[in-house]
Amino acid sequence: MALACQGFYTDFQDPHGVLTHLGYVQIDAISRITRAHHHVFWSRHPRYQPEDLNTLLHRRQAFEYWGHAASYLPLSDYPYYFARMQSFLSHSRWGQRQYAAVKDLLPDILR
């Protein structure tokens, strides 16, 4: 039952289905063979290729944010994180410094 809940017995059609089912995939900065978040996708969708993650981001099906940790999250969950993002920017000194450092870049990023 635990393996089924984690999506190991589901025939996912694409990596977006994996991400939506799991709710988030933690970004792993450590790489021995390949970064571990790629293993999460591949173990549930054997046709997965590392470039597929960039495709999810470019198609706006996923975004990066601090979920439980640095994570890839389905874009459908973005509204749930937006208030948290705004609160962090307005109530955190670190967030305010980070925002000040990139605010001039935001129009180009958003475009």
Side-chain angles (χ1 to χ4, degrees), residues 6-64:
Q6 289 295 312
F8 285 108
Y9 299 121
T10 303
D11 184 21
F12 292 106
Q13 298 302 310
D14 57 27
H16 182 254
V18 174
L19 183 60
T20 301
H21 178 82
L22 295 176
Y24 80 99
V25 173
Q26 184 173 331
I27 298 172
D28 180 26
I30 299 171
S31 174
R32 291 289 179 227
I33 297 172
T34 188
R35 293 171 69 184
H37 53 266
H38 293 300
H39 295 280
V40 172
F41 285 100
W42 177 81
S43 65
R44 291 158 176 86
H45 179 61
R47 294 177 305 280
Y48 172 80
Q49 297 294 314
E51 307 83 49
D52 294 343
L53 190 51
N54 287 332
T55 301
L56 286 178
L57 296 168
H58 287 275
R59 288 183 181 167
R60 297 181 179 180
Q61 294 177 308
F63 69 104
E64 294 178 25

Side-chain angles (χ1 to χ4, degrees), residues 86-99:
Q86 295 299 335
S87 176
F88 179 73
L89 288 176
S90 60
H91 294 100
S92 158
R93 286 188 201 169
W94 186 86
Q96 291 170 358
R97 284 194 309 269
Q98 295 302 313
Y99 177 73

